[in-house]
Amino acid sequence: MLPEIAKLGHIALITPDFKKSLWFFSEVLGLEVTEVVDGTHYLRAWGDFEHHTMSLKQGEKSKVDHIGWRTKRPEDVEKYAELLAEAGADVKWIEAGQEAGQGRAIRFKLPSEHPFEIYYEMEKTQPDQDRKSVLKNQTYKAWRKGASPRRIDHVNLATSQNPAVIHKWLIDNLGFKMREYIDLGNAGVMAGWLSVTPLVHDIAVVSEPNAETPNRLHHLAYWFDNAQDILRAADILSEEGLKFVGPGKHGASQAIYLYVKDPGSGHRVKLFSNGYLIFEPDWEPIRWTVEDLDVGMTYWGQDAVAGNQDSTEA
């Protein structure tokens, strides 16, 4: 049996202004701190069950330390280590406990040099009593602070390489399925949205031809239950004097969006809602062309492309 990725687990961020980043993610966005170990803060949203879906650490410059993916079975980690090594990846083992709450894992890089981690074992740490929800199927109290997203949703990677090559690598080596993509004809594929779950995308890879490095983070996204939550988040961001792009709606994915940057690191965060789910086993990827690119990227609202040109290192 081939190994399988179950879902996006977490993203580990490095920030040059830790105090400002922690304020943004914890107080403004509203993520809860699960644990602090050796200066690294581990956070999650009120509906996230695992120990963390984000970690924050002080560093000289903004970058992504790694993006973590959970497998469907414990033995899948070892199987991926073997298959990825055969595919030419430099696979390194991370021992249990090296990352707080997490069991043994592997780390490697995509051909675009984006750093990935694959794991299975992760604690489902219970919150302290004053933050714990009375609902047995929910981790924290909802709306306790900040914009208050429910859960992590996806990551969007940018690269100066041909994104179609990275799409194929993700499909061939990690089992992702292409859901939607932008085909510019002779100019090649501009972007692709892929998933291993019923989500329209757990990951996207987009072209950024003039990027300083091939491994860029365009954004990470947290999920909100509905469009009204996004409007509420816009009020909260405006009260704090933070500029943002949106709200608007994508044609591709049909998602309601708002983009804002962490003022401490410059990492872009997408506040994400609506969209659709895919359950069809014979799904045919949706192809967007240059003729319908405007609708695909911005169905309505503030232009999602014009305000989101730059990225941070991954």
Side-chain angles (χ1 to χ4, degrees):
M1 182 182 294
L2 291 174
E4 296 178 90
I5 300 293
K7 63 166 191 166
L8 171 65
H10 58 267
I11 184 167
L13 300 178
I14 297 174
T15 172
D17 191 333
F18 180 82
K19 184 177 180 180
K20 191 174 288 185
S21 290
L22 183 61
W23 166 79
F24 171 76
F25 283 109
S26 178
E27 301 303 320
V28 180
L29 193 58
L31 301 184
E32 299 281 0
V33 176
T34 308
E35 189 175 3
V36 181
V37 180
D38 297 330
T40 299
H41 284 56
Y42 295 89
L43 304 97
R44 56 183 172 176
W46 57 262
D48 285 324
F49 294 100
E50 292 192 10
H51 179 272
H52 60 279
T53 53
M54 175 190 292
S55 66
L56 279 176
K57 183 169 65 173
Q58 175 76 43
E60 292 184 3
K61 65 176 184 177
S62 302
K63 64 180 298 183
V64 175
D65 184 78
H66 65 271
I67 298 167
W69 302 88
R70 193 179 187 204
T71 63
K72 286 191 174 182
R73 297 167 290 270
E75 61 269 23
D76 286 348
V77 179
E78 183 76 43
K79 290 180 179 178
Y80 268 124
E82 296 172 0
L83 291 177
L84 290 167
E86 291 174 4
D90 181 13
V91 177
K92 292 181 171 58
W93 281 96
I94 304 298
E95 295 304 319
Q98 187 170 328
E99 181 172 346
Q102 182 175 282
R104 201 165 184 241
I106 59 170
R107 289 186 189 170
F108 59 95
K109 291 185 177 180
L110 305 187
S112 56
E113 299 181 17
H114 289 91
F116 272 22
E117 177 179 79
I118 290 178
Y119 68 96
Y120 176 79
E121 294 179 355
M122 178 69 80
E123 294 177 8
K124 293 180 173 60
T125 310
Q126 293 300 308
D128 45 64
Q129 197 60 40
D130 66 334
R131 295 187 292 166
K132 186 176 183 179
S133 174
V134 297
L135 295 172
K136 292 186 176 182
N137 53 8
Q138 183 173 307
T139 309
Y140 294 98
K141 297 174 182 176
W143 310 110
R144 199 177 78 87
K145 58 176 181 173
S148 198
R150 177 183 286 268
R151 59 170 174 79
I152 194 170
D153 192 86
H154 66 266
V155 291
N156 187 313
L157 310 181
T159 183
S160 56
Q161 297 181 0
N162 180 356
V165 173
I166 311 305
H167 299 156
K168 187 176 187 305
W169 196 95
L170 290 168
I171 292 167
D172 292 346
N173 294 283
L174 297 181
F176 283 89
K177 297 177 181 178
M178 180 64 73
R179 302 306 196 178
E180 302 194 26
Y181 67 102
I182 298 174
D183 185 356
L184 299 183
N186 293 335
V189 171
M190 172 185 164
W193 291 263
L194 307 93
S195 71
V196 290
T197 69
L199 299 178
V200 176
H201 62 310
D202 300 301
I203 187 171
V205 183
V206 303
S207 175
E208 190 177 332
N210 300 318
E212 297 177 4
T213 61
N215 55 318
R216 312 294 294 179
L217 175 70
H218 188 273
H219 66 260
L220 64 135
Y222 274 88
W223 169 267
F224 291 75
D225 284 349
N226 55 59
Q228 181 59 44
D229 296 345
I230 303 296
L231 298 181
R232 175 181 176 274
D235 281 353
I236 291 171
L237 295 174
S238 291
E239 285 285 356
E240 299 295 348
L242 295 171
K243 303 299 181 181
F244 51 86
V245 174
K249 181 174 181 176
H250 294 307
S253 80
Q254 300 185 25
I256 303 296
Y257 62 80
L258 184 154
Y259 296 90
V260 60
K261 287 186 176 181
D262 162 28
S265 68
H267 292 307
R268 185 184 290 109
V269 180
K270 184 177 187 177
L271 312 188
F272 184 90
S273 187
N274 291 29
Y276 65 95
L277 300 175
I278 298 171
F279 298 104
E280 287 71 18
D282 58 349
W283 179 262
E284 293 292 333
I286 304 299
R287 177 176 175 263
W288 298 85
T289 67
V290 66
E291 287 78 15
D292 46 32
L293 183 59
D294 287 346
V295 172
M297 296 308 296
T298 310
Y299 184 44
W300 55 258
Q302 187 177 359
D303 189 344
V305 177
N308 288 307
Q309 295 295 332
D310 57 340
S311 57
T312 50
E313 186 175 352

